[in-house]
Amino acid sequence: MLSQRLKELRNRKKRTQQDVAKYLGLTRPAYTAYESGNRNPDYETLVKIADYFDVTTDYLLGRDVAHKEVSQESLFPSDQLGIDQKDYDSLTAYQQEALDWAANNDYLQFKNKSDDIMDMIERIEIAYEVDKVMKKRKKNNK
């Protein structure tokens, strides 16, 4: 049941096995083993898979027929911010971290604000650093 649901959900989101594997921090062959039914994920990975596809773990395991619909909104920050995946992959880890922060904290006001990806990233990095400083100050004032 799990392998069928994984294939179905991945195809519905129009993602490759490599996309899902990267999100989960796995190799593509490791993820492929889940889809082929040759291997089962551990609990932590199962939860990450459910989060990625926006479904319950019960649904993945075949225990829940009614499931949350797969979100049309992608979980990938690159998609949420209007950045090509290839461009996103070419960024530094810090730049990707700043973009992840912007997408995960609903700072999507940066989306499509500039045709120049580096200009957008610079603005996001500044906002990210300001947010870190403000959180640190708030923590120190407690």
Side-chain angles (χ1 to χ4, degrees), residues 2 6 12 21 43 47-49 65 99 114 117 125 134:
L2 174 64
L6 290 175
R12 198 179 307 170
Y43 175 76
V47 170
K48 285 173 85 174
I49 292 169
V65 177
L99 288 174
S114 173
I117 186 174
E125 287 174 332
M134 296 305 289

Side-chain angles (χ1 to χ4, degrees), residues 66-77:
H67 67 283
K68 296 188 324 189
E69 274 301 311
V70 175
S71 173
Q72 296 302 312
E73 178 96 12
S74 171
L75 296 179
F76 286 102

